[in-house]
Amino acid sequence: MNWLLERVQPNLTIGTTANVDLFNGFGVLLLCKGKQITEDISKLLQKREVYVWKKQETSSNVRPKAFPKDKYTKLVGSLWGIYHEAKLIQPEQIEKTVTLVETIFNELKQIEIYLDLEVSRIDLEKFKQNDYGTFVHSVNVALLSTMTGKRLGYTDKKLKNLILGALLHDIGKLRVPKEILNKPGSLTDDEYIVMKQHPQYGVEMLRDVRLSPSITAIVGEHHERWNIKGYPYGLQGHDIHPDAQIVAVNDVYDALTADRPYRKSLPPYHALEMILTWSGRDFAPKVVQAFKESLVLYPEHAVVTLNTGEIGVVLAVPLHFPTRPLIRLLFDRNGKFINEEIYVDLMQNLTYFISHVEFDEAV
């Protein structure tokens, strides 16, 4: 049984007695049961800003079966933390997406490309062995792009082409020297010039393959940016292919949440905040919105652990910045229950961020 805040109908008048405790949207007590409705409470009632706590019966305590890790790691592996630990992806969602991507993944074995001036089949196992990091990244981007594409209404052939393009988006890195690709420090200017050629290398490798133009566009344009500051062509806004816009967002998100030779990964929620900040600058706003909506963020009353070790419950989620909710603390960093009302507003306390979410609501 869970407890939920439920709006009070605005039919209580000034001077009448409240038959229940009344709260605001943050769960803070406004008026005790048995007290008379004041003018201020009446105004809040008319604005529909008064709530009561209600018990919600649950039909079943059975949790959805978690998607098995061995099934996922057999395909790729590193998105597991985003799904299982951060819980940004629902179990049913990851299962359907992995199955779909795995089907397209197997079809790639039939495609031939030009590699080192010779015709070669796309052997993703060789790709995996040659550069495991790029292989893992490509499959993760395909999984995330699939969820974003579905949110945007992609179906059937259009979704298939999006997945193929996402799986192939970094194929040009096979022509980038390994000492540049896996360099543990910052690239020199000359090395960066070479790295920035990988989209064009990829397009060249696919030039004689019978693929949808959208797939080639993803390979060539996934580093273009909404504000014209991307590469290699310097495209802007809607001049960038819609599929490439989708892959661009998911490409950066996965890169931020993965360990790299030159830096450690960012927490998934921190990376998501950065993506949201770059909406309309680096990325298409419509795509960022779909990307955000394809993930599970913070339902009200979810229990969260902060980077400080403190534990609290989500009371309110800002509409335009859902990664920065208002939290009422329940336990301090030593695990001691806090027997007073202490709130942390992540919109104001920017050094705080959520490191873990437990989706069972506080009772």
Side-chain angles (χ1 to χ4, degrees):
M1 182 176 294
N2 296 321
W3 288 85
L4 298 174
L5 281 172
E6 183 179 284
R7 277 192 176 90
V8 175
Q9 295 298 319
N11 54 7
L12 296 175
T13 58
I14 297 174
T16 59
T17 301
N19 58 2
V20 291
D21 293 330
L22 301 178
F23 299 84
N24 68 10
F26 298 151
V28 177
L29 182 65
L30 295 174
L31 189 72
C32 292
K33 178 181 177 181
K35 297 290 185 180
Q36 289 187 338
I37 303 296
T38 64
E39 183 178 354
D40 289 339
I41 297 295
S42 178
K43 289 178 180 178
L44 291 173
L45 283 164
Q46 295 305 315
K47 294 178 182 178
R48 296 184 61 79
E49 294 179 0
V50 178
Y51 298 78
V52 293
W53 285 102
K54 288 280 189 179
K55 289 182 180 179
Q56 183 186 54
E57 299 289 342
T58 53
S59 58
S60 173
N61 291 322
V62 178
R63 296 171 178 266
K65 184 179 179 181
F67 188 62
K69 185 173 183 177
D70 58 348
K71 166 71 174 175
Y72 180 76
T73 52
K74 182 179 178 182
L75 180 62
V76 53
S78 74
L79 199 68
W80 180 256
I82 298 172
Y83 154 61
H84 187 262
E85 295 165 11
K87 293 188 177 180
L88 277 170
I89 306 172
Q90 295 174 328
E92 300 87 350
Q93 191 180 19
I94 192 71
E95 184 167 10
K96 291 177 182 177
T97 305
V98 167
T99 301
L100 179 58
V101 170
E102 191 172 40
T103 300
I104 307 301
F105 176 90
N106 290 328
E107 290 187 19
L108 279 176
K109 297 175 182 178
Q110 309 304 316
I111 298 175
E112 294 182 339
I113 62 171
Y114 278 89
L115 182 59
D116 297 329
L117 303 180
E118 295 183 1
V119 176
S120 173
R121 281 197 188 280
I122 293 180
D123 185 344
L124 288 185
E125 282 304 313
K126 280 187 179 179
F127 188 16
K128 189 174 183 178
Q129 294 167 13
N130 180 72
D131 181 11
Y132 182 74
T134 300
F135 169 82
V136 166
H137 170 67
S138 297
V139 180
N140 283 345
V141 172
L143 289 165
L144 292 167
S145 296
T146 301
M147 289 185 281
T148 307
K150 283 185 174 182
R151 188 71 191 178
L152 286 166
Y154 279 38
T155 56
D156 302 332
K157 186 176 181 180
K158 195 174 181 182
L159 190 61
K160 176 181 176 180
N161 287 336
L162 175 65
I163 296 169
L164 275 170
L167 287 169
L168 293 172
H169 80 280
D170 270 345
I171 195 74
K173 286 186 176 179
L174 288 173
R175 288 191 176 174
V176 176
K178 281 190 176 181
E179 57 269 23
I180 294 178
L181 201 59
N182 300 318
K183 185 176 179 179
S186 300
L187 299 180
T188 66
D189 290 344
D190 289 341
E191 289 169 338
Y192 189 50
I193 289 172
V194 173
M195 178 67 84
K196 287 172 66 176
Q197 293 179 48
H198 77 268
Q200 292 165 303
Y201 289 156
V203 171
E204 183 181 338
M205 291 163 68
L206 298 173
R207 69 182 186 273
D208 292 324
V209 182
R210 296 181 62 183
L211 294 173
S212 165
S214 67
I215 296 174
T216 306
I218 291 171
V219 174
E221 299 175 17
H222 66 277
H223 279 289
E224 300 294 337
R225 292 296 178 258
W226 195 251
N227 61 2
I228 208 172
K229 294 185 178 180
Y231 64 87
Y233 309 116
L235 301 178
Q236 183 179 24
H238 294 291
D239 292 335
I240 306 168
H241 193 283
D243 289 6
Q245 294 175 22
I246 293 172
V247 172
V249 170
N250 292 287
D251 178 33
V252 172
Y253 181 75
D254 184 69
L256 291 172
T257 55
D259 285 332
R260 290 300 171 95
Y262 48 89
R263 62 155 174 79
K264 292 292 291 180
S265 63
L266 294 177
Y269 295 105
H270 187 178
L272 179 57
E273 287 179 18
M274 296 173 72
I275 294 293
L276 297 178
T277 300
W278 295 331
S279 176
R281 191 189 80 180
D282 292 86
F283 305 124
K286 182 179 178 181
V287 174
V288 173
Q289 180 69 17
F291 171 71
K292 180 187 73 175
E293 291 175 355
S294 70
L295 301 175
V296 178
L297 296 179
Y298 311 122
E300 288 185 11
H301 314 122
V303 176
V304 298
T305 302
L306 299 175
N307 58 310
T308 58
E310 295 162 299
I311 297 174
V313 59
V314 174
L315 295 182
V317 182
L319 180 62
H320 300 295
F321 227 102
T323 61
R324 310 298 292 176
L326 175 70
I327 295 166
R328 179 179 177 181
L329 295 182
L330 300 176
F331 299 92
D332 65 20
R333 64 190 66 196
N334 298 314
K336 183 179 179 182
F337 180 73
I338 300 174
N339 195 23
E340 57 181 310
E341 293 186 357
I342 299 178
Y343 301 91
V344 176
D345 185 349
L346 298 192
M347 288 290 288
Q348 303 299 323
N349 297 275
L350 300 181
T351 59
Y352 284 77
F353 60 83
I354 292 172
S355 61
H356 179 76
V357 183
E358 177 57 58
F359 285 95
D360 287 340
E361 294 173 338
V363 295

